[in-house]
Amino acid sequence: MPLSREEREQFLAEPHVAALAVDAGAGRGPLTVPIWYQYARGGTVWIMTGLDSRKHQLIKGAGRFSLMVDRLEPTIRYVSVEGPVIDTAPATVDQLREISSRYLPAEKVDAYVDFAWKNHGEQVVVRMRPEHWVSSDLGSV
């Protein structure tokens, strides 16, 4: 069964690891990689990635990307969202802390942020406006 707008937005707002997909050009399937993301109901989705990464270069070229999140319990559920990039800006340490706090235990955030900020190279935040949604809850099949 498709999810209601409220259900799909709530599910996307939960801290799932997403599969990001972006057009990889002629003769290639889409680049599909796991990624952390941030989303608040009714807002935009944002991701953080390396300025010089293949992922960022492809997103910049395509002007849009997709995210898909899923779970298996307590029911099989997924949400896929796709839309245009509306902004790209240099990442801040506060944004790195925000997204890290979403996925890591509180006691590990500071060490991870310190390491990532020093070692992952220049990062950008890419914001996407959700435009197309696909969702379902298959129940406990």
Side-chain angles (χ1 to χ4, degrees), residues 37-58:
Y37 69 95
Q38 182 62 289
Y39 174 75
R41 289 174 53 187
T44 60
V45 172
W46 64 266
I47 62 161
M48 186 179 291
T49 190
L51 174 66
D52 297 324
S53 69
R54 180 168 182 249
K55 181 182 344 151
H56 178 238
Q57 297 308 311
L58 291 172

Side-chain angles (χ1 to χ4, degrees), residues 20-22 35-39 43-67 81 83-92 95-96 99 122-130:
L20 178 143
V22 61
I35 195 163
W36 291 353
Y37 69 95
Q38 182 62 289
Y39 174 75
T44 60
V45 172
W46 64 266
I47 62 161
M48 186 179 291
T49 190
L51 174 66
D52 297 324
S53 69
R54 180 168 182 249
K55 181 182 344 151
H56 178 238
Q57 297 308 311
L58 291 172
I59 290 170
K60 191 163 56 170
R64 59 193 317 113
F65 63 92
S66 299
L67 293 179
V81 62
V85 171
I86 59 169
D87 183 56
T88 301
T92 67
Q95 289 168 319
L96 177 58
I99 204 162
E122 192 171 351
Q123 301 286 302
V124 292
V125 168
V126 180
R127 293 187 186 279
M128 179 256 282
R129 185 183 73 244

Side-chain angles (χ1 to χ4, degrees), residues 67-139:
L67 293 179
M68 194 282 297
V69 298
D70 65 343
R71 72 169 192 212
L72 298 177
E73 293 180 358
T75 60
I76 299 170
R77 179 177 279 199
Y78 71 88
V79 169
S80 179
V81 62
E82 180 264 332
V85 171
I86 59 169
D87 183 56
T88 301
T92 67
V93 72
D94 289 338
Q95 289 168 319
L96 177 58
R97 184 172 312 286
E98 177 183 341
I99 204 162
S100 300
S101 296
R102 180 172 161 89
Y103 291 95
L104 298 175
E107 67 275 9
K108 300 207 178 231
V109 171
D110 288 341
Y112 175 78
V113 168
D114 185 54
F115 173 83
W117 194 251
K118 290 176 182 173
N119 295 288
H120 287 174
E122 192 171 351
Q123 301 286 302
V124 292
V125 168
V126 180
R127 293 187 186 279
M128 179 256 282
R129 185 183 73 244
E131 190 172 75
H132 302 286
W133 295 77
V134 178
S135 64
S136 186
D137 191 317
L138 303 176

